[in-house]
Amino acid sequence: MDWGNVTAEDLLDALREVDWSLPPRPLPEFFSKFTFPRSYAKWNSRLKCNLYYYRTNYFLMIVVILGLGFLRRPLAIIAALLTALSIAFLNDSFAGSFSEKVTRTVRQFSPHLAAKMRAPLTPVIRGRPSCKRAVHICGRPRWVFVLIFSAVSISLWYVSCGLLTVLWALVIGLSATLLHASFRTPNLKARLNTFREEFRAVWRNYSDL
């Protein structure tokens, strides 16, 4: 597929909908081959391809950099984890999987409470849902958990006095991600894997090959 025709909005929508439960790519592949892009178009296409294909590696790399920056501040580490979790909740697949696992665990102790944690049903008209089903976590809208975890993490950042440190850690993590995605040469396996496993699932209305 031609990644040059994929807009930033398409990429963000794909990252929001795609399954993040897949393990990261192996490190030998992650650090395999680096070349300088020959043109802006090549760089733009490579950047989008690598951000999508190595998304889990980049996410873990940023989390590790944040963790290393707060080895002496336990509250800041907890704040970093809560921040990462609130961001992960924005992904449909992660939010649904998290809700299902929590509900399954609660069902073992309280089936009645687990029944209340089910997401509300979407009305069906003529065999089709009347509207796009909103994502719920434990029976509540997703944004409730995003706001709660974000508020708690911001409070912990303030208490731990680590706001400046987290800003530097984020700059370093995002810079490392940008550099790797810019110079890592997309291999044939990445392109074929992306097309074969996720093309139809994510870009349902995208047909350029």
Side-chain angles (χ1 to χ4, degrees):
M1 61 181 292
D2 185 6
W3 282 92
N5 293 332
V6 178
T7 64
E9 184 179 358
D10 292 332
L11 182 61
L12 290 176
D13 289 341
L15 292 175
R16 184 178 61 85
E17 296 182 12
V18 77
D19 184 9
W20 281 71
S21 62
L22 297 176
R25 309 296 177 182
L27 290 181
E29 177 187 345
F30 188 62
F31 296 105
S32 178
K33 183 180 180 181
F34 296 88
T35 57
F36 193 84
R38 299 181 179 180
S39 64
Y40 173 79
K42 291 287 186 182
W43 171 80
N44 187 36
S45 177
R46 175 185 299 185
L47 182 67
K48 296 172 184 175
C49 179
N50 286 332
L51 285 176
Y52 186 78
Y53 185 70
Y54 295 110
R55 58 187 180 274
T56 307
N57 297 72
Y58 294 143
F59 182 78
L60 293 177
M61 181 173 64
I62 293 176
V63 171
V64 169
I65 292 176
L66 286 173
L68 292 176
F70 299 107
L71 289 178
R72 297 182 179 180
R73 297 181 179 179
L75 287 180
I77 295 179
I78 298 176
L81 293 176
L82 291 178
T83 301
L85 192 59
S86 62
I87 296 175
F89 280 152
L90 298 177
N91 177 261
D92 296 350
S93 177
F94 180 87
S97 177
F98 179 88
S99 178
E100 181 181 353
K101 291 180 180 179
V102 172
T103 304
R104 189 185 304 117
T105 303
V106 173
R107 188 182 295 117
Q108 298 177 357
F109 304 95
S110 177
H112 181 69
L113 179 60
K116 294 183 178 180
M117 296 170 61
R118 294 178 181 176
L121 299 177
T122 302
V124 177
I125 301 177
R126 296 181 180 180
R128 296 182 179 181
S130 59
C131 60
K132 185 177 180 181
R133 183 175 181 180
V135 178
H136 286 70
I137 300 177
C138 300
R140 298 292 182 270
R142 169 173 51 187
W143 62 266
V144 174
F145 286 85
V146 173
L147 288 179
I148 292 176
F149 278 78
S150 299
V152 174
S153 63
I154 292 175
S155 301
L156 292 178
W157 287 129
Y158 181 79
V159 172
S160 62
C161 301
L163 288 178
L164 183 61
T165 304
V166 72
L167 289 178
W168 277 110
L170 284 176
V171 169
I172 294 174
L174 294 176
S175 299
T177 298
L178 181 62
L179 288 174
H180 183 278
S182 298
F183 294 100
R184 174 64 173 92
T185 305
N187 52 29
L188 182 61
K189 177 183 177 181
R191 296 174 181 175
L192 292 179
N193 183 285
T194 300
F195 174 77
R196 182 178 63 251
E197 295 182 2
E198 299 166 350
F199 179 82
R200 294 180 180 177
V202 178
W203 285 285
R204 299 177 179 86
N205 298 320
Y206 194 80
S207 58
D208 289 339
L209 301 180

